[in-house]
């Protein structure tokens, strides 16, 4: 559960190129990766935009034909809490995030998920609890 909350995942394929070091680190075999590719309707890594080892242990495959070029969204806030490692990885300061939230009239406690990809924020607000 901690890995999920920390937003950890491994990129095994990036634009058709297999990252062998990341495969070894993630304990994924070429056969397992090939199976995931085939299950998603492709025949080779060349057809894959992103191959991702999810925190759950599943391999997600995103085909080039299904997406335009872009970054994988990196979560910055989950359930109202900062993911400090991801902020550091992207060289972002909490103040920058808080300024964005203030523009929306929100605070940290209002955010369920805030992610960044291709320089754009994706925001999911927390649902209001019925009392």
């Amino acid at each position: 559960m901690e890995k999920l909350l920390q937003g950890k995942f491994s990129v095994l394929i990036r634009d058709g190129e297999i990252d062998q070091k990341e495969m070894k680190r993630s304990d994924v075999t070429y056969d397992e990766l090939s199976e995931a590719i085939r299950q998603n309707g492709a025949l080779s890594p060349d057809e894959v935009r992103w191959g991702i080892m999810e925190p759950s242990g599943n391999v997600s495959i995103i085909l080039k034909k299904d997406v335009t070029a872009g970054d994988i969204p990196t979560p910055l806030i989950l359930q109202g809490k900062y993911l400090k490692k991801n902020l550091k990885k992207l060289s972002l300061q909490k103040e920058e995030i808080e300024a964005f939230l203030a523009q929306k009239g929100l605070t940290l406690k209002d955010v369920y998920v805030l992610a960044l990809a291709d320089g754009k924020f994706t925001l999911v607000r927390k649902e209001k609890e019925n009392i």
Side-chain angles (χ1 to χ4, degrees):
M1 184 64 140
E2 183 179 332
K3 282 186 180 181
L4 180 63
L5 291 176
Q6 292 300 319
K8 293 187 183 225
F9 58 86
S10 294
V11 178
L12 305 174
I13 301 174
R14 185 179 274 111
D15 285 324
E17 297 293 323
I18 295 174
D19 186 331
Q20 293 179 21
K21 288 181 184 176
E22 201 59 40
M23 282 183 61
K24 186 174 183 176
R25 226 177 279 134
S26 299
D27 199 27
V28 175
T29 67
Y30 183 78
D31 288 340
E32 291 167 331
L33 189 59
S34 294
E35 180 180 351
I37 291 169
R38 288 190 303 276
Q39 287 176 343
N40 283 275
L43 297 176
S44 77
D46 292 335
E47 299 175 63
V48 177
R49 170 76 172 129
W50 299 105
I52 303 164
M53 170 64 88
E54 302 289 355
S56 66
N58 295 325
V59 177
S60 296
I61 300 294
I62 301 163
L63 301 177
K64 289 179 181 179
K65 68 178 184 161
D66 294 335
V67 294
T68 57
D71 292 333
I72 297 173
T74 301
L76 305 172
I77 299 173
L78 284 177
Q79 299 180 6
K81 295 181 182 173
Y82 284 106
L83 301 176
K84 294 175 186 174
K85 289 181 183 179
N86 289 350
L87 288 174
K88 185 176 180 179
K89 182 171 83 171
L90 296 174
S91 300
L92 288 172
Q93 301 297 318
K94 290 180 182 179
E95 293 79 17
E96 295 172 83
I97 305 299
E98 289 165 2
F100 170 78
L101 294 176
Q103 289 176 347
K104 303 283 185 191
L106 302 171
T107 65
L108 183 63
K109 67 180 181 176
D110 300 316
V111 179
Y112 184 68
V113 175
L114 180 68
L116 181 68
D118 296 325
K120 297 179 185 174
F121 290 111
T122 300
L123 173 69
V124 178
R125 296 177 185 198
K126 281 186 183 176
E127 292 182 6
K128 300 287 183 192
E129 293 181 11
N130 294 330
I131 300 176

